[in-house]
Amino acid sequence: MKQTEFLNTVLPLKDKVYRLAKRLLVSRDEAEDATQELYFKLWKNKKKLKEYKNVEAFAMTMTKNYCLDQLKAKRSNNLTLVHSNYKDGNISLQKEMELKDSVSKVHELIAELPEKQKVIIQLRDVENYEFEEIGKILDLQPTAVRVALSRARKTIREQLTKQHNYGIS
Amino acid sequence: MELANIENLLEKYENGETSLIEEATLKNYFSNEDVASHLEDYKAMFTYFNSNKEERFTKTIPLKRKQPNFWWLSIAASVVLMVSIYVSSNTGTETITLEERKEAAQALKHTQEAFQLISQNLNKGGNVAIAGLGEFEKAQQKVFKTE
């Protein structure tokens, strides 16, 4: 695989790789480092890359495995989540504030899910992969993916409703 | 999109039974401003998913890892080596002149003479010492009376 071919097939995946890495590793710096490391690995294995029918699935599998390894390595001193993507633009609107709070709450709720569910939520609800593709990436049956996804979605929604009813946003 | 239809889709969504197209419909519905108040929680979810997809990787991707380059160091080392060889070989031939050669030969001659003198005297001393040993033997025989 030549450099241009490599760049054309694998480089467009960089945002997806990065987002999945960030979903699992939480911190932005770590996700960036992981993405660079993964591309370096992919480039080193470019000869093997040709043999895979689905390069995208292969790259995503590699991302998942790499990040889980990273997590295992530093399980003890995990970084705490600081989320600041949702800066308030219009403070006067109480309702908008509430929505923003609950949007960042979604982020926290996903972070509390088991790793498998995190990855599945990311791949389906953010990246819009088909169940078959997710199954290939995670080496799972499509029905197993469906079950885990349903569980994750229900958990998030139920937690949101709970918070909403308590009036804690 | 009717509200009943959306609610129906949401139930399917939670069971993991919606297709990607149906999920796109939901995302589209919840990206609108006015959403039925009892569906606010879903709005938070879909808004989050949409915004997360906007996140981009902004750093560069280096395909070749930066490694410290040592090739220039080897060039520098070889230059140093060549210069030192050149300098040392030059000093070797230039400094020994004919006069110095004569001087060296003279010095060698003097040293050899000196050594000769020393060795002669040493020989003398040695002979005396060996003769003395005979005396010692005699004295020993007198004391111990062996035979």
Side-chain angles (χ1 to χ4, degrees), chain A residues 19 22-23 26 81 83 85-86 99-111 118 121-122 125-126 156 160, chain B residues 27 30-31 40-55:
Chain A
R19 287 193 292 256
K22 200 179 166 210
R23 174 70 56 212
V26 179
L81 168 69
H83 194 72
N85 276 5
Y86 302 97
L99 176 70
K100 268 167 191 161
D101 279 347
S102 45
V103 168
S104 55
K105 191 76 208 167
V106 174
H107 186 87
E108 287 165 38
L109 289 172
I110 296 174
K118 263 186 223 174
I121 274 275
Q122 183 70 21
D125 279 334
V126 179
I156 298 167
L160 281 174
Chain B
K27 272 182 193 167
F30 283 104
S31 63
E40 287 288 329
D41 296 332
Y42 290 104
K43 188 175 166 85
M45 282 173 79
F46 288 106
T47 309
Y48 174 75
F49 294 142
N50 278 333
S51 71
N52 188 238
K53 205 174 182 176
E54 296 302 309
E55 204 165 342

Side-chain angles (χ1 to χ4, degrees), chain A residues 124-125 131 142-155 157-158, chain B residues 7-19 23 26 42 45:
Chain A
R124 178 68 180 194
D125 279 334
F131 288 120
T143 44
V145 174
R146 200 183 291 267
V147 168
L149 179 68
S150 166
R151 207 162 287 161
R153 283 170 174 173
K154 275 180 183 158
T155 309
R157 208 266 308 145
E158 278 162 14
Chain B
E7 281 171 347
N8 185 28
L9 276 183
L10 282 174
E11 203 189 319
K12 275 175 80 184
Y13 171 80
E14 284 204 351
N15 291 327
E17 287 162 354
T18 38
S19 68
E23 282 168 25
L26 285 173
Y42 290 104
M45 282 173 79

Side-chain angles (χ1 to χ4, degrees), chain B residues 29-90:
Chain B
Y29 172 79
F30 283 104
S31 63
N32 287 330
E33 284 300 313
D34 44 339
V35 168
S37 62
H38 65 290
L39 299 178
E40 287 288 329
D41 296 332
Y42 290 104
K43 188 175 166 85
M45 282 173 79
F46 288 106
T47 309
Y48 174 75
F49 294 142
N50 278 333
S51 71
N52 188 238
K53 205 174 182 176
E54 296 302 309
E55 204 165 342
R56 294 280 177 271
F57 180 74
T58 48
K59 285 201 163 181
T60 51
I61 289 173
L63 293 182
K64 278 169 202 162
R65 187 156 310 175
K66 268 193 185 172
Q67 274 172 335
N69 270 333
F70 287 120
W71 61 269
W72 60 266
L73 206 72
S74 63
I75 290 174
S78 59
V79 166
V80 167
L81 195 71
M82 275 154 67
V83 165
S84 64
I85 287 171
Y86 178 74
V87 167
S88 66
S89 66
N90 271 1

Side-chain angles (χ1 to χ4, degrees), chain A residues 59-75:
Chain A
M60 294 310 271
T61 307
M62 238 178 103
T63 308
K64 183 212 73 175
N65 289 340
Y66 179 79
C67 291
L68 291 185
D69 284 350
Q70 290 287 103
L71 283 177
K72 231 179 260 172
K74 54 175 93 177
R75 179 65 78 186

